[in-house]
Amino acid sequence: MLRSCATRLRTLGAPPAKQPGAVWRLFSSEKVIHKDYGLPNPSWSKDLRLLFDQFMKKCEDGSWKRLPSYRQNPVQTFKEFQTRFVDPGSVTKEEQMSKAQQFSRSLEEGLGFEYVMFYNKGEKRMVCLFQGGLHLQGVPGFVHGGAIATMIDITTGMCALAEGVAMTANLNIDYKKPIPLCSVVVVNSKLSKTEGRKLFISCDIQSIDEKTLYTSATALFIKLDPDKRLT
Ligand SMILES: CC/C=C\C/C=C\C/C=C\CCCCCCCC(=O)SCCNC(=O)CCNC(=O)[C@H](O)C(C)(C)COP(=O)(O)OP(=O)(O)OC[C@H]1O[C@@H](n2cnc3c(N)ncnc32)[C@H](O)[C@@H]1OP(=O)(O)O
């Protein structure tokens, strides 16, 4: 389903996957550099690089695909989303739209959310390799629960988006062990059931040696109905 996910995201205006660093002209007066954040940077630990390399190997036979990740979606993405699902009276102004950023990509490199996602279409599984930086602290030395929820929402969300444009309706999280800051963990999500527009997705977060289960969660996403306005 990844091809259709990628196709859908492109339909919504995301930059094509094969053009990291390409210059995208959104308005005649504005140029935005779209950097692909799902690639190694100097803040990535040895563990994260190692895991990244392992998953890139898995991509070679086509069973897994790495997802590119951008800080900003082109204005066209907003426009198409709003045209399809938002009441014309409540659409966001174009100037504001151009300044919007993906929340999880808006912090300084290495201090916030460092992650990369891989999708297995056959298994309907989305895996996220995540390193939580020092500015995600909750209890001293550990990642904030809200930051963990964010990563679960994004990972399950991307799993859901492979099926269509969907939003989180419900997220249940069991925090079993605290996640140390700067450690690398594996967020593993899978579409477990579909009922009409409802997508049920399970998710857990484990240490890289799989010995520690930090978090387990279930999420319900609802595919948006084009005949209903969100606002
Ligand atoms: C959306 C993305 C778009 C574009 C992507 C572009 C770029 C991608 C780049 C990065 C993406 C990163 C991933 C992002 C993932 C993050 C996702 C979010 O954070 S979404 C934000 C949080 N969620 C919301 O704000 C949603 C607020 N809720 C709603 O707007 C609505 O409730 C809804 C979810 C849209 C559902 O409303 P509908 O009117 O469409 O559905 P209903 O007729 O009410 O229900 C259908 C069906 O589902 C059952 N149901 C609904 N809600 C719940 C619930 N909370 N618990 C259990 N069941 C629920 C309902 O009972 C109906 O069931 P049925 O009668 O059996 O059919």
Side-chain angles (χ1 to χ4, degrees), residues 167-188:
M167 286 182 83
T168 326
N170 183 272
L171 204 52
N172 274 300
I173 302 177
D174 288 325
Y175 295 99
K176 293 173 182 293
K177 295 246 182 236
I179 299 177
L181 281 176
C182 302
S183 66
V184 176
V185 294
V186 180
V187 188
N188 196 342

Side-chain angles (χ1 to χ4, degrees), residues 33-73:
I33 307 285
H34 278 276
K35 170 182 164 183
D36 184 352
Y37 285 83
L39 289 170
N41 70 53
S43 79
W44 283 27
S45 65
K46 205 172 139 200
D47 283 344
L48 187 51
R49 281 162 189 276
L50 218 61
L51 264 181
F52 174 83
D53 290 343
Q54 284 171 12
F55 269 86
M56 288 305 283
K57 268 246 159 307
K58 292 187 191 197
C59 292
E60 282 171 9
D61 67 3
S63 56
W64 288 85
K65 291 236 189 302
R66 183 188 72 85
L67 268 65
S69 174
Y70 303 97
R71 180 175 274 174
Q72 283 183 297
N73 296 314

Side-chain angles (χ1 to χ4, degrees), residues 194-225:
T194 303
E195 269 175 19
R197 290 194 288 126
K198 290 182 276 191
L199 305 169
F200 296 87
I201 298 174
S202 59
C203 183
D204 62 44
I205 304 183
Q206 288 186 301
S207 54
I208 50 181
D209 63 6
E210 297 182 1
K211 286 188 177 153
T212 307
L213 174 63
Y214 291 111
T215 320
S216 65
T218 53
L220 170 65
F221 282 78
I222 311 286
K223 280 207 235 178
L224 300 188
D225 180 344

Side-chain angles (χ1 to χ4, degrees), residues 9 12 14 70 73 77 81 85 102 104 115 117 150 153-158 161 164-170 195-198 200 220-225 228-230:
L9 294 184
L12 284 165
Y70 303 97
N73 296 314
T77 305
F81 183 77
F85 302 113
Q102 205 62 44
S104 56
Y115 63 92
M117 287 194 203
T150 296
D153 196 22
I154 297 172
T155 308
T156 55
M158 291 308 290
L161 281 172
V165 180
M167 286 182 83
T168 326
N170 183 272
E195 269 175 19
R197 290 194 288 126
K198 290 182 276 191
F200 296 87
L220 170 65
F221 282 78
I222 311 286
K223 280 207 235 178
L224 300 188
D225 180 344
K228 277 189 188 172
R229 302 288 93 183
L230 280 170

